[in-house]
Amino acid sequence: MAERGAQPDPQLFATEEVPKERVHVLLPMPVGDGYDYVLTAGMTAPPGSFVIVPLGPREMVGVVWPEPTDPDLPERKLKPVSEVIDAPPLSADVMAFVDWVANYTISPRGTVLRLVMRSGQQLSPPKPQTGYIRAEVPDSLRLTSAREKVLDIASETPLTAAELAREAGVSDGVVRGLAEAGGLQAIEIDPDPPFGAPDPDRKGRALSPLQAEAAEHLTAAVREERYSAWVIDGVTGSGKTEVYLEAIAETLRLRPSTQVCILLPEIALTLPFLKRIEERFGAAAAHWHSDVSSSERRRVWRRVAEGQARLVVGARSALFLPYTDLALIVVDEEHEAAYKQHDGVLYQGRDMAVARGALGNFPVLLVSATPSLETLANVEEGRYGLVSLPSRFGPATLPDTDIVDMRAHPPEKGRWLSPKVIEAVNETLGRQEQVLLYLNRRGYAPVTLCRKCGERMTAPHSDTWLVEHRYSNRLVCHHTGYSIPKPDHCPHCGAADSLTPCGPGVERIAEEAKETWPDAKIEILSSDMLMGPGAAKSLLKRMTEGEIDILVATQAAAKGHNFPNLTLVAAVDADLGLAGGDLRAAERTFQTLSQVSGRAGRAAKKGRVLLQSYQPENPVIAALARGDRDGFAEAELEGRAALGFPPYGRLAAVILSGENEQKLNEVARALAGVVPHAEGVEVWGPAPAPLYRLRGTYRLRFLVKTTRRVSIQSVLDEWLSRIKIPASIRKTVDVDPYTFT
């Protein structure tokens, strides 16, 4: 017993300070690799949670990342998490995917996380909106013609005042006045309404025996609920879509929570495909691409994060949505170069889709009539499974393909269509069938020259040609976006009316077609001519319904479209894509011309394809005429294997760019002086990029080639760490480059 008056022992009453929980937070920014913070009392934030944290003088939204914090960092140096956001956390699969993409593409993890988080505004729920439904109309209500129009539109489905006014063709004030008078009932509506539940048991289209066999292979793979990659290799018009819709239906049957992502390379393809999805499953799919409004993007992001949006159709960026139970990815037209991202995080959407499936342990379907050589090599080596659809569905057959030797059958002077093509068009129009004139070159003419001094019009501070667009009377650079009205005088020598177009674009071919067939209905399908998806949808509908006789088009018409009355396709310049030293030039040319040829004869009427060529003996043109895709692919793969190029080797590009040409060359020489010398590694360069000067910056390139046994990422990391690149020089690393500009 302690003596009376003695001081108590302080240790008997001391409370041990409990250490605060530490978390590592990754921020959507290109610098740093995340920071450690502490959670204050009462906070819980498991991995994947969205949190607000202080960073210097500001606050940012980040994600609690599943990795250990630094135990050597004193707690007193750690800042507390400001707030845990009430939003569904990112799944472990999504976070693993961010880490994998960052490592593969040699990108900061925060930059990849930004692809998932987007702006971050979708994390806060939007304010509820007021909607209106039809009410019991009181006898005292004074009805005007405007109010009657609103009541005709109003129903039990709530619409906002703006929506009602737009549908009825009246002002918002009429709607609000009608509500105040008792004719409409105001109710609160969710501005991000849920997506309808898809019905996997809804009856689809009848399948042919070949289609049914292919569908059974894929549905069996889905039922295994593990990673596998399958190629649906089918000729154009063989019904590949119906086959993979069966696999999607099987995926939706697995669990009430399963989600499916369908990737398409072009926005124009998304619009008719969404209708097809709704017909098959009785519910609209969430769609995700650059032309979707910000409010609709918020809705899709939130509903995907909640697991409520089960079907997503989108561009390559749809891979990075915050799925909760992703169970299948379909990559349609998997060969398309449009799946390659060329700014920010440089990734190939098809390859990232396969990686996402492997990380999430679910199947991935790659669909094409002309699979990429990488995909064919993976099939050959047993990494991917294969289902084939070698014939068209129903009575349709593949078109006959002929070469028009332009040396033997040249066009008239100043013209671009051979007499052979003109004769074929005349016959086709005489049968009241449709024609597609294909040229993958936008505008009126690719080059504008001065007849007096020879000046070639280029964009300011760039080595890029200005393309004439006659419909808008402007000269446009398709690389920089620079645009000016076409001058009356040469800006170099001042000569009047001396600027002349050289070469054809689709506008020039359309002009020639209108002169040759003045009574025909002729339209152009090109991204320059169609402002927004609505215009594209309208044109495609007119073509499908037979309201257009001749469609002059770029590669926008080459994929996915079904025009039942189109029986003649003529490629105006089949040699166009073969020029230059691009590794994939022959492959891309074969794929594009095969796809555009596949638009002909997709219904009961026989189709025909004409390829205008000045080099008909070229292996690509000859293989197209024979319909020998497999022979072409085998020869291309043999050539790639002999040189160690993809898919039998690895490539990466390192691009240095800067406004000071001398400084740029100094840095490039320094980097060249420390290139790695190791077995299985080659580094070429530096060399001027084909577009050496762009937007006032000079550009030099290195190309790194390794064998498949070598980690090209490790080579790049080690090499690029040897030299400190000054801030005035920008360094871009492109693993698996698809273009070499």
Side-chain angles (χ1 to χ4, degrees):
M1 179 177 293
E3 297 181 14
R4 182 176 295 179
Q7 296 296 318
D9 184 349
Q11 292 186 352
L12 294 175
F13 298 93
T15 56
E16 184 177 347
E17 187 173 345
V18 179
K20 296 176 180 175
E21 183 183 353
R22 300 184 178 204
V23 290
H24 189 75
V25 177
L26 185 61
L27 299 170
M29 53 192 297
V31 294
D33 198 33
Y35 303 93
D36 290 351
Y37 292 87
V38 293
L39 297 173
T40 57
M43 278 188 178
T44 57
S49 299
F50 291 96
V51 293
I52 299 175
V53 294
L55 184 70
R58 56 180 176 151
E59 290 195 323
M60 289 190 67
V61 177
V63 177
V64 176
W65 217 249
E67 62 186 59
T69 56
D70 183 358
D72 298 327
L73 199 61
E75 186 176 294
R76 56 185 169 79
K77 290 192 174 182
L78 299 181
K79 295 182 178 180
V81 171
S82 302
E83 181 185 343
V84 179
I85 298 175
D86 183 16
L90 293 182
S91 69
D93 286 354
V94 171
M95 291 185 286
F97 184 51
V98 168
D99 286 340
W100 194 92
V101 172
N103 289 330
Y104 188 87
T105 62
I106 314 181
S107 303
R109 283 198 302 175
T111 306
V112 182
L113 176 61
R114 185 169 178 79
L115 295 177
V116 175
M117 290 180 58
R118 318 310 295 179
S119 66
Q121 295 176 349
Q122 66 279 346
L123 290 169
S124 302
K127 294 179 181 179
Q129 292 181 327
T130 300
Y132 297 93
I133 60 175
R134 189 181 178 109
E136 190 72 33
V137 179
D139 294 336
S140 59
L141 180 66
R142 185 175 65 86
L143 287 178
T144 63
S145 60
R147 286 182 170 183
E148 286 179 345
K149 290 178 182 177
V150 174
L151 290 174
D152 287 341
I153 299 296
S155 66
E156 294 181 359
T157 302
L159 295 174
T160 64
E163 290 169 337
L164 269 174
R166 184 172 59 251
E167 292 285 331
V170 300
S171 68
D172 289 13
V174 173
V175 176
R176 300 187 196 283
L178 185 57
E180 290 173 4
L184 296 172
Q185 179 184 346
I187 61 172
E188 190 176 279
I189 60 173
D190 187 345
D192 292 339
F195 291 91
D199 178 7
D201 297 318
R202 187 181 172 98
K203 189 173 178 59
R205 298 179 186 177
L207 302 182
S208 70
L210 269 178
Q211 288 177 315
E213 182 182 351
E216 180 51 40
H217 281 293
L218 301 180
T219 54
V222 166
R223 286 192 292 270
E224 290 182 6
E225 294 195 68
R226 63 180 179 84
Y227 165 71
S228 59
W230 288 83
V231 179
I232 306 178
D233 179 6
V235 298
T236 54
S238 59
K240 298 181 290 294
T241 302
E242 289 306 318
V243 169
Y244 72 67
L245 288 179
E246 292 303 308
I248 290 172
E250 193 67 21
T251 305
L252 295 173
R253 292 187 189 105
L254 291 175
R255 292 180 297 282
S257 60
T258 49
Q259 295 170 298
V260 177
C261 172
I262 308 162
L263 299 183
L264 299 175
E266 299 283 350
I267 294 172
L269 295 179
T270 307
L271 301 167
F273 186 78
L274 288 170
K275 183 178 179 182
R276 194 164 181 180
I277 285 284
E278 189 166 359
E279 289 174 353
R280 174 62 179 83
F281 297 107
H287 57 292
W288 181 271
H289 52 72
S290 57
D291 273 1
V292 172
S293 67
S294 58
S295 60
E296 183 62 18
R297 289 169 79 86
R298 181 196 65 217
R299 176 195 180 202
V300 172
W301 196 97
R302 289 179 61 82
R303 294 305 183 182
V304 168
E306 294 165 359
Q308 191 275 323
R310 299 188 63 200
L311 279 173
V312 176
V313 176
R316 57 180 179 260
S317 59
L319 276 175
F320 293 91
L321 286 168
Y323 300 97
T324 57
D325 189 12
L326 188 57
L328 179 70
I329 297 176
V330 179
V331 186
D332 208 343
E333 308 287 2
E334 64 84 25
H335 65 278
E336 273 293 330
Y339 283 120
K340 176 70 177 184
Q341 174 74 22
H342 292 291
D343 54 35
V345 180
L346 308 183
Y347 66 91
Q348 217 290 345
R350 176 199 63 224
D351 298 343
M352 297 305 102
V354 173
R356 182 72 171 88
L359 289 166
N361 202 29
F362 58 76
V364 178
L365 308 183
L366 308 177
V367 187
S368 178
T370 53
S372 63
L373 294 183
E374 285 86 353
T375 294
L376 291 175
N378 279 316
V379 170
E380 186 178 284
E381 294 170 6
R383 293 189 182 93
Y384 296 171
L386 175 69
V387 295
S388 297
L389 297 170
S391 59
R392 285 188 161 178
F393 179 79
T397 58
L398 290 171
D400 296 327
T401 301
D402 296 307
I403 302 172
V404 177
D405 187 341
M406 298 294 278
R407 299 167 301 186
H409 305 284
E412 294 180 9
K413 186 176 181 180
R415 299 277 179 155
W416 310 98
L417 298 178
S418 165
K420 288 277 189 182
V421 168
I422 292 173
E423 179 184 351
V425 173
N426 286 334
E427 293 172 357
T428 304
L429 295 179
R431 296 192 300 269
Q432 296 186 322
E433 296 168 2
Q434 292 171 302
V435 176
L436 172 61
L437 300 178
Y438 168 76
L439 178 64
N440 195 30
R441 187 182 276 151
R442 294 177 288 169
Y444 185 82
V447 183
T448 303
L449 293 176
C450 174
R451 288 190 300 268
K452 185 172 182 181
C453 71
E455 172 74 4
R456 186 190 71 180
M457 297 288 288
T458 60
H461 314 297
S462 299
D463 294 333
T464 53
W465 299 352
L466 290 181
V467 176
E468 179 176 344
H469 286 251
R470 186 153 292 188
Y471 281 78
S472 58
N473 195 35
R474 299 186 72 83
L475 301 181
V476 179
C477 173
H478 292 155
H479 293 277
T480 66
Y482 176 79
S483 171
I484 57 170
K486 184 178 179 181
D488 296 326
H489 296 73
C490 172
H492 184 256
C493 70
D497 299 321
S498 64
L499 297 179
T500 186
C502 297
V506 284
E507 293 179 22
R508 197 168 197 173
I509 299 304
E511 181 181 87
E512 181 177 339
K514 288 175 182 176
E515 293 173 0
T516 308
W517 299 283
D519 296 329
K521 291 171 284 188
I522 300 170
E523 294 206 38
I524 298 174
L525 176 56
S526 168
S527 58
D528 297 297
M529 306 294 290
L530 299 171
M531 304 308 292
K537 182 179 180 180
S538 174
L539 187 146
L540 293 171
K541 183 182 179 194
R542 293 196 302 277
M543 184 67 183
T544 302
E545 294 178 353
E547 296 176 15
I548 299 171
D549 297 316
I550 301 175
L551 185 65
V552 184
T554 63
Q555 66 174 359
K559 39 200 172 274
H561 305 301
N562 185 21
F563 307 126
N565 200 39
L566 174 63
T567 58
L568 175 65
V569 170
V572 176
D573 187 352
D575 311 325
L576 180 60
L578 297 172
D582 194 318
L583 166 69
R584 293 182 173 85
E587 179 187 7
R588 273 201 296 263
T589 299
F590 188 93
Q591 288 167 339
T592 303
L593 290 176
S594 293
Q595 292 284 341
V596 75
S597 298
R599 299 314 104 199
R602 292 174 69 93
K605 298 175 182 177
K606 180 70 176 175
R608 185 184 182 193
V609 177
L610 297 177
L611 306 175
Q612 292 193 163
S613 174
Y614 286 94
Q615 42 182 318
E617 67 284 348
N618 185 285
V620 175
I621 305 300
L624 283 163
R626 295 193 307 270
D628 186 14
R629 190 207 71 183
D630 292 344
F632 166 78
E634 183 179 349
E636 275 292 298
L637 285 170
E638 285 178 1
R640 300 267 189 100
L643 297 171
F645 281 141
Y648 303 107
R650 304 290 310 283
L651 287 180
V654 177
I655 303 100
L656 300 177
S657 57
E659 296 181 3
N660 186 317
E661 189 175 16
Q662 180 179 345
K663 186 67 175 176
L664 176 66
N665 281 296
E666 289 174 3
V667 173
R669 283 194 297 269
L671 201 56
V674 294
V675 296
H677 299 284
E679 184 180 353
V681 178
E682 296 178 61
V683 180
W684 300 320
L691 293 179
Y692 176 53
R693 194 174 55 141
L694 194 65
R695 298 185 182 93
T697 63
Y698 300 91
R699 305 165 71 243
L700 295 173
R701 294 178 59 97
F702 290 88
L703 192 63
V704 182
K705 180 166 80 77
T706 71
T707 63
R708 290 202 297 189
R709 296 188 303 274
V710 174
S711 167
I712 199 167
Q713 287 83 2
S714 298
V715 170
L716 290 165
D717 281 337
E718 198 276 333
W719 172 39
L720 298 176
S721 67
R722 296 177 182 179
I723 295 291
K724 182 174 175 57
I725 307 292
S728 61
I729 302 299
R730 183 185 178 192
K731 176 193 71 185
T732 303
V733 179
D734 186 1
V735 177
D736 302 330
Y738 261 61
T739 58
F740 296 87
T741 55

